[in-house]
Amino acid sequence: MPLKRAAAALLAFTLLLAGSFSLPVHTIAQGSVEQLRAAKAETDAISNLADDRKRIASAKAFLKKYPGNYWRHLAYRLWLFSAWRTGDKTELQTAADAYIKEYPDSGAAFGSVSRYFYEAHVFPDKGLAYAQKAKQLFERQLGTDGTPQSMRRISDATLRLPAQPSWQPPSERDEFVNYLGSRFNLARYELSGNQRKMALDEVEPVIELDPFGVDEEETLAPFYFVQGQAYESLNDNAHAYAAYLGALVVGDAQNRYAGQAQSRLHDVGDKAGKDAREDALRKQVPPQLAKLPLARFTDVTDAAGLTGIKASRAAWGDVDGDNDADLLLDGSVLLLNNGSNGFADASTQWGLTPGRNAGLFADVDNDGDLDLYTLGLGSRGNRLLRNDGQAFTDVTDNGGNASAEATAAGWVDYDRDGWVDIYVAGLNEVTRILGERGKAGAADVLLHNTGGSLRMVSGPAVGLGARSSAAGAGVACADYDGNGYPDIFVANHDATPSYLWKNTGGVFSDAGALLEPAGAGGRYAASSAGDWGDVDNDGDMDLLVCNWFSDSERASYINSTFDFQQGGSFTDQRAAKGIRGGTALTEPLLADFNNDGNLDLYLTSSGSGARSYLYINDGQGGWHDMTYLAGARLFAGQGSAVADFDRDGDLDLLVCTAGGVHLLRNDTPRQSWLQVRCVGGAGVPPVTAGTTAPPSGLSNRAAIGARVTLTVGSEHFVREIESGKGSGCGNELIAHFGLGARRGRVSLSVRFPSGKEVTRALGNLNDRIEIRETDAGASVEQHRPEQPPAPPTRGFGH
């Protein structure tokens, strides 16, 4: 486990997850590069030991082995940590004395020791003195007097320093962040001694500074929490409520301080009163969002009958033809949508069996209902299930089950013959699922639909070549270059550059070099998932990718990239747009949650205690973290998918977490909207087995790959019908548009996968309509869906 991930799990009680309390580089006898690398690797190994006594012994042995090496600091902290965890006060004192004796002028040494004393509730007077000493030493080293002006000068100068190799001693930026941590540590001691105003003097300048960048795991949550404690003890409940709310809004990587703030918020809020609560809430809404409807979700998991159900991946699809979205979990559990009566488990009735990883819907045989392809491992393999009306029939054969190990796939009519095909990302690294280190998996495969059956396509024959064999973790398809042929993004997990398969007339070429996640030398290798969407409403598809930055020459941390497209080239604008790197980011999802016409972003994080993120797009180029205020904050998240399950005109969110699935009903204030279901004319099957389907000029029945463009006045909004995104999840097969309060002429254009276009002027909004490919060239009225609409209900729980 990389050092910073290990620190997050092992040293969870500390504020700073990376290199807590550094020492200026110029004061360290660093040793050679080789010694630093070796010492770093050894401290990583020590941090991963499960036995505290062994860790103490190993830390002591390390200190004898590596004199004058920077990583002695971490060895001392590991010694302190294990002494604290075992409750051995004598060992804790011994470690503390040795650390301070060796580094008597180090803010790192005094700060670390005082923190462990605080956590162990021992030696309070000495701990306070050490906390004061740590702050003084850091200020001397940094050249700051502690005023907001001098802190801002240092923060601005160090914020964008380039990342350095993980084996090197911390940078000046790390040193500054650790100084801020020393102020937090001192504030805790002062607060415990009832010096409330002194504690506020330590944390409030940091809150005003707001120093942490989007690529730093540290947040203001600890500072807000101490601020809230101080004001609460002063009986200033209005300010205490605002502080606790601030901690919850910004969150923290392990949910330590935000979680404690949550426990105090309700009680303090009752004392503060309604007006104070509403004022605090208003101040947390960025001015860019003040005139937009604020997204709001209600967790209706219990009311929907989903309590206690655990899954990693989800897909929505209307399998029973009653015109509402049913729910598939892990490709094994089918939950039929019964409107206000919630969801009913119909897995056995429909012939599903346990042991799958995921499943995705498509109309494989073009008969008007949704079939299913499920993904599995080993002997369970992948299966093709045909929908026969009230049950699935397994129609898999050796050709259709070519990939035996997979967790992600995407349906795509790559050759535009009217029969939807599927790209399956083979999993060559299955450690995270099976725990079988070194087990070989399967290569990626492209399965061609020959009239309801799937047959493996030779990679070289269609340009995929040998490179389509890596640790595939996610698939997302879209026509990013606008040439009418769907392209395929594949997120590869095992330190392998991700793929962007550019489709030109049914033949692929790897355009991964266009994307920073798959850029030169695999600089952004080890990705978990991606999702496409036109986030800036400029008519082309942008891509959000969750990556593991794992280059051994960089600090190891977890991040994401947001590649905006302009004219076929991509630039990473994630940090510029205000989207945090996060911890263990797993699954991206782009959708318009507040119906304002702009795609928003939901990100899950799979780490223990790691929270999800809901970023609202303000339509002006900025993105804002509204997770807590929107009621969408979950922990240890995995797959996610959207559907309008209650048919009220907004997109609801299903999120899989380690603790169980959560159904978040969208209760955002009403705005104008439009939903479009596309129906392809369906291709013509081949006359004889093994032949290529003749050109039919028509598209697959579910119209997967159709591009839908809505025009309101001079504005254009683009969506594509997709089945398969992220890490094996699927949204409802509709194009959803929020329109806010827009007025003007509204028209719709659908470019079906065949290339046929249907255009229509719309008179009515706030409806779900159906566009049929067979209407191309005809003058027809707006269609409602083939099945009668669901009853006008907001669904259960209202």
Side-chain angles (χ1 to χ4, degrees), residues 197-267:
K197 292 185 177 179
M198 292 177 66
L200 290 172
D201 287 341
E202 296 298 337
V203 298
E204 289 192 329
V206 180
I207 294 172
E208 180 185 350
L209 179 64
D210 191 12
F212 301 118
V214 294
D215 287 328
E216 295 176 310
E217 289 186 302
E218 296 80 16
T219 74
L220 286 174
F223 300 89
Y224 275 126
F225 179 66
V226 168
Q227 184 188 39
Q229 287 182 304
Y231 280 120
E232 186 178 1
S233 65
L234 289 168
N235 294 316
D236 187 342
N237 292 300
H239 280 95
Y241 180 85
Y244 289 142
L245 181 63
L248 285 160
V249 169
V250 299
D252 55 328
Q254 297 298 313
N255 196 40
R256 183 186 185 191
Y257 299 102
Q260 293 179 77
Q262 179 75 70
S263 68
R264 299 300 309 141
L265 191 70
H266 180 75
D267 184 49

Side-chain angles (χ1 to χ4, degrees), residues 29 100 104 150 186 215 233 435 443 596 656 691 713 752 754 756 759 788 793:
I100 288 175
S150 66
L186 178 56
D215 287 328
S233 65
D596 69 341
C656 301
T691 63
F752 282 86
S754 67
K756 292 183 181 295
T759 59
T793 175

Side-chain angles (χ1 to χ4, degrees), residues 113-434:
V113 169
S114 80
R115 284 182 179 223
Y116 285 98
F117 284 1
Y118 183 90
E119 297 293 340
H121 306 290
V122 296
F123 318 124
D125 293 339
K126 188 177 289 187
L128 172 61
Y130 286 175
Q132 293 169 334
K133 180 73 170 179
K135 180 189 173 188
Q136 293 168 1
L137 288 171
F138 274 116
E139 289 182 343
R140 182 188 306 167
Q141 294 161 4
L142 289 165
T144 177
D145 59 5
T147 62
Q149 295 80 5
S150 66
M151 287 195 296
R152 185 168 299 281
R153 174 181 54 79
I154 298 171
S155 181
D156 290 347
T158 60
L159 180 59
R160 292 176 177 83
L161 289 176
Q164 59 189 32
S166 58
W167 49 265
Q168 282 189 359
S171 67
E172 187 180 358
R173 177 64 185 181
D174 297 318
E175 185 180 352
F176 175 68
V177 170
N178 291 324
Y179 161 63
L180 300 179
S182 74
R183 295 180 67 118
F184 161 76
N185 188 47
L186 178 56
R188 293 197 300 179
Y189 274 101
E190 290 171 338
L191 193 60
S192 65
N194 293 320
Q195 300 296 321
R196 306 171 186 92
K197 292 185 177 179
M198 292 177 66
L200 290 172
D201 287 341
E202 296 298 337
V203 298
E204 289 192 329
V206 180
I207 294 172
E208 180 185 350
L209 179 64
D210 191 12
F212 301 118
V214 294
D215 287 328
E216 295 176 310
E217 289 186 302
E218 296 80 16
T219 74
L220 286 174
F223 300 89
Y224 275 126
F225 179 66
V226 168
Q227 184 188 39
Q229 287 182 304
Y231 280 120
E232 186 178 1
S233 65
L234 289 168
N235 294 316
D236 187 342
N237 292 300
H239 280 95
Y241 180 85
Y244 289 142
L245 181 63
L248 285 160
V249 169
V250 299
D252 55 328
Q254 297 298 313
N255 196 40
R256 183 186 185 191
Y257 299 102
Q260 293 179 77
Q262 179 75 70
S263 68
R264 299 300 309 141
L265 191 70
H266 180 75
D267 184 49
V268 170
D270 284 345
K271 295 176 182 177
K274 180 180 179 181
D275 290 344
R277 294 195 302 270
E278 291 181 350
D279 182 62
L281 287 167
R282 278 194 299 269
K283 290 178 178 177
Q284 287 293 340
V285 178
Q288 298 91 332
L289 299 180
K291 295 183 179 180
L292 296 178
L294 297 180
R296 181 65 194 173
F297 292 91
T298 302
D299 193 326
V300 294
T301 306
D302 294 345
L306 304 179
T307 305
I309 298 177
K310 291 188 176 182
S312 297
R313 295 171 178 84
W316 293 95
D318 180 11
V319 299
D320 54 3
D322 64 353
N323 206 38
D324 56 22
D326 307 304
L327 178 60
L328 179 73
L329 298 174
D330 281 354
S332 303
V333 178
L334 179 63
L335 301 162
L336 296 183
N337 186 343
N338 291 326
S340 59
N341 293 320
F343 289 82
D345 190 335
S347 308
T348 301
Q349 172 192 336
W350 279 75
L352 297 183
T353 57
R356 307 285 180 244
N357 295 320
L360 294 169
F361 295 112
D363 191 350
V364 178
D365 53 5
N366 283 335
D367 66 347
D369 53 29
L370 291 180
D371 310 300
L372 178 62
Y373 192 82
T374 64
L375 305 173
L377 292 177
S379 61
R380 293 169 292 194
N382 301 333
R383 315 302 296 173
L384 175 60
L385 306 179
R386 185 184 66 214
N387 188 338
D388 287 334
Q390 295 183 340
F392 289 114
T393 300
D394 191 331
V395 293
T396 311
D397 58 24
N398 289 335
N401 191 33
S403 177
E405 307 253 346
T407 59
W411 288 102
V412 53
D413 185 3
Y414 79 95
D415 55 356
R416 290 174 45 180
D417 66 352
W419 296 85
V420 67
D421 317 299
I422 190 167
Y423 185 102
V424 181
L427 187 68
N428 277 353
E429 180 221 15
V430 296
T431 304
R432 61 198 173 100
I433 295 177
L434 295 182

Side-chain angles (χ1 to χ4, degrees), residues 50-118:
D51 186 283
D52 284 299
R53 291 299 175 186
K54 289 183 178 179
R55 189 181 299 112
I56 290 173
S58 297
K60 291 178 179 178
F62 177 95
L63 292 168
K64 292 180 180 179
K65 182 178 179 181
Y66 289 98
N69 190 288
Y70 166 75
W71 293 106
R72 296 175 64 82
H73 285 272
L74 182 55
Y76 275 118
R77 291 194 293 273
L78 291 170
W79 184 4
L80 289 164
F81 167 76
S82 288
W84 162 76
R85 200 161 73 164
T86 58
D88 190 332
K89 295 181 182 179
T90 300
E91 191 73 46
L92 182 64
Q93 182 68 71
T94 301
D97 291 345
Y99 195 8
I100 288 175
K101 181 179 180 180
E102 181 170 349
Y103 296 106
D105 297 316
S106 166
F110 282 94
S112 295
V113 169
S114 80
R115 284 182 179 223
Y116 285 98
F117 284 1
Y118 183 90

